[in-house]
Amino acid sequence: MEKLVINGGKRLFGKVEISGAKNAAVAILPAAIMASSSISVIDNIPDIEDVQCLERIMEHLGCKIIRQANSVTIDSTSINSVNANTDDVRNMRASYYLIGALLGRFKKAKVDLPGGCPIGVRPIDQHIKGFEALGAKVTIEHGAAIVTAEKLVGANVYFDVVSVGATINVMLAAALAEGTTILENVAKEPHVVDVANFLNTMGANIKGAGTDIIRIVGVSELKGCNYSVIPDQIEAGTYMIAAAACGGEVTVTNIIPKHMESISAKLIEVGVEVVENEDSLTIISDRNLKAVNVKTLPYPGFPTDIQQPMSTLLCIANGRSIINESIWESRFKHVDELKKMGAVVKVEGRTAIIDGVEKLTGAVIRATDLRAGAAMIIAGLVAEGTTEVHCIEHIDRGYPNIEDKFKLLGADIRRVKVEEC
Ligand code: EPZ
């Protein structure tokens, strides 16, 4: 076990290079399973625990995987099992993409139900609805989803809720179905578009990703390909918010500014200067921050995954901010930790009412989930004195080299071994 020790109060200056998008990578890796010939070489894969977890699962299924720096080579022609039943499968969320990928290629899959961050009930009913519409039989037995089909046939699916996971999972299976599938009320997140682009590079015929309707004309085979994952919108947003909160001037590089619009707009509202360049954004902050209201929404709205870091920033903004979390019903567990540092926050259901304070003070706190962990680091960076962030294995699931990246910006942060979380 490890913890982060942060001596707060330093302004941040310099450049931070953003890695490949976690939530694209964790879908693209399982999608690579669908290649029945040729290898795939995927670049800009972030070096995070969730990716390592998926690589182990795919090796367990018989894939050959070689990792070199940020590039992963996958030979999925040697797969010899459709039964994903290891601890890794149960511990992470994105393992559910194995269902769509294995179903598409082999017309059967047995995948243990996924885990992931404790941010609310995380059903997969919309995934199942989509698989069944394509002709699959789905049962849940002994903690696993068992999905089989004689053949998959294109269908119309109208999702009851906008779901990133269901959109991608059903798109995976439909890519190798017979005929045309129309998916409506789909998620439009950049990672949904990235997975569609990856599948099209493998030979799929998918149009409309990034809009409300995706049209998929099934093909009989997908092949391995070369691909590069998009930059991580949420990692970039985390560093932007850290810069805004600490004060200073930070440029996030290797990003797609268009993907950052909802976050940039909110930071400008807070009183921060955001300068847009071709593939970077510069945040200039004098720490004179104004309270704002935030409502999380599916893309292109303000992302739920950046809500927790944003809540730390609003703890030190002048006035009362109100955050409404519309995606997950329990994504405010980090608030109790912020309160230990002097934050004044009241949570009522899916709403957090934040009365800004002049300063936070260092404390021993813990990361209750991945993005809560990012929020805790930002709190430690702005706080007076020393903060210890425990349970950082949550953070390592989704942020590559986080303390090194912050150190390069001038933060006083170090990783230390501990006996237990
Ligand atoms: C993805 O989770 C992300 N995870 C989450 O990021 C992110 O918070 C979420 O999308 C929303 O953007 C990955 O991509 C691996 P959803 P996912 O299906 O796909 C309800 C992070 O911090 N729903 O879009 O599991 C659900 O309860 C993680 O990186 C159903 O009702 O989320 C939620 O209220 C945390 N039935 C809403 O839809 C379903 O079948 C959105 O969930 C599926 C979802």
Side-chain angles (χ1 to χ4, degrees):
M1 292 285 175
E2 292 171 322
K3 66 181 174 185
L4 290 171
V5 179
I6 306 168
N7 291 312
K10 303 229 167 359
R11 279 152 50 95
L12 301 180
F13 290 93
K15 287 187 182 170
V16 55
E17 191 177 340
I18 299 309
S19 302
K22 162 187 164 281
N23 287 343
V26 297
I28 284 174
L29 289 172
I33 280 182
M34 296 172 73
S36 45
S37 60
S38 322
I39 57 165
S40 291
V41 180
I42 308 169
D43 288 327
N44 208 27
I45 293 276
D47 189 8
I48 50 176
E49 179 55 29
D50 268 9
V51 160
Q52 289 158 18
C53 210
L54 265 173
E55 288 171 359
R56 288 193 294 269
I57 297 168
M58 288 166 65
E59 281 175 336
H60 168 79
L61 296 176
C63 289
K64 295 191 187 104
I65 296 188
I66 302 169
R67 172 110 198 182
Q68 279 174 315
N70 290 335
S71 176
V72 176
T73 302
I74 301 165
D75 179 353
S76 57
T77 58
S78 51
I79 287 192
N80 49 31
S81 167
V82 295
N83 186 1
N85 60 0
T86 60
D87 282 344
D88 283 329
V89 180
R90 292 183 285 274
N91 287 341
M92 71 176 309
R93 192 72 198 158
S95 55
Y96 56 26
Y97 291 132
L98 295 164
I99 308 175
L102 291 168
L103 177 66
R105 178 165 165 202
F106 298 105
K107 311 296 174 261
K108 57 183 177 182
K110 183 169 179 225
V111 178
D112 280 4
L113 292 171
C117 282
I119 52 182
V121 181
R122 301 187 76 173
I124 58 164
D125 57 299
Q126 297 303 303
H127 305 231
I128 293 173
K129 174 179 168 166
F131 297 142
E132 287 178 339
L134 297 176
K137 181 169 176 282
V138 183
T139 55
I140 306 290
E141 286 173 30
H142 304 295
I146 302 168
V147 187
T148 52
E150 294 243 318
K151 60 178 182 175
L152 296 174
V153 180
N156 283 20
V157 181
Y158 192 100
F159 291 111
D160 301 326
V161 292
V162 176
S163 160
V164 169
T167 302
I168 292 177
N169 227 345
V170 181
M171 186 166 75
L172 294 177
L176 285 172
E178 289 174 17
T180 301
T181 297
I182 310 278
L183 304 181
E184 292 190 67
N185 196 27
V186 294
K188 295 179 278 197
E189 269 67 5
H191 30 290
V192 173
V193 179
D194 208 31
V195 179
N197 288 340
F198 174 68
L199 290 169
N200 284 340
T201 312
M202 294 173 85
N205 183 346
I206 302 173
K207 295 199 171 81
T211 74
D212 291 314
I213 302 179
I214 299 179
R215 186 170 186 272
I216 304 155
V217 179
V219 296
S220 57
E221 195 208 356
L222 295 175
K223 297 189 171 98
C225 67
N226 288 7
Y227 196 77
S228 183
V229 174
I230 54 165
D232 197 312
Q233 175 207 29
I234 306 302
E235 190 199 13
T238 301
Y239 287 99
M240 289 163 69
I241 290 170
C246 292
E249 183 169 334
V250 169
T251 301
V252 287
T253 66
N254 183 34
I255 59 153
I256 299 173
K258 173 94 192 132
H259 294 167
M260 307 309 304
E261 277 172 355
S262 62
I263 302 168
S264 297
K266 205 40 90 176
L267 287 179
I268 291 167
E269 213 179 310
V270 165
V272 170
E273 197 181 334
V274 180
V275 182
E276 184 176 323
N277 315 300
E278 201 181 319
D279 62 357
S280 67
L281 285 173
T282 300
I283 308 302
I284 304 163
S285 167
D286 60 4
R287 262 198 77 163
N288 193 5
L289 308 166
K290 292 193 284 277
V292 295
N293 294 338
V294 174
K295 178 170 179 154
T296 63
L297 288 169
Y299 189 83
F302 191 89
T304 171
D305 295 345
I306 213 75
Q307 177 265 106
Q308 291 156 303
M310 190 70 187
S311 68
T312 300
L313 173 77
L314 296 179
C315 284
I316 52 159
N318 297 312
R320 172 170 285 190
S321 301
I322 297 178
I323 299 183
N324 181 253
E325 171 55 64
S326 81
I327 311 289
W328 301 111
E329 73 266 26
S330 76
R331 213 169 194 181
F332 287 125
K333 292 198 179 118
H334 64 295
V335 163
D336 284 341
E337 305 301 302
L338 289 173
K339 284 185 185 168
K340 293 177 188 164
M341 306 177 78
V344 178
V345 188
K346 193 171 168 206
V347 175
E348 287 176 1
R350 286 171 175 241
T351 303
I353 302 154
I354 304 176
D355 286 312
V357 292
E358 240 169 60
K359 62 174 186 193
L360 297 178
T361 51
V364 178
I365 51 176
R366 69 194 175 96
T368 51
D369 60 71
L370 167 61
R371 309 299 173 189
M376 293 306 110
I377 293 179
I378 296 171
L381 293 172
V382 299
E384 189 181 280
T386 302
T387 295
E388 287 186 13
V389 184
H390 289 250
C391 305
I392 60 170
E393 62 281 2
H394 289 294
I395 303 172
D396 293 335
R397 285 188 31 228
Y399 286 94
N401 311 322
I402 193 159
E403 73 272 22
D404 294 337
K405 290 190 183 189
F406 272 121
K407 264 185 211 157
L408 279 176
L409 296 176
D412 182 346
I413 176 169
R414 64 183 202 282
R415 189 178 280 257
V416 176
K417 291 241 176 291
V418 283
E419 290 294 300
E420 57 188 43
C421 170

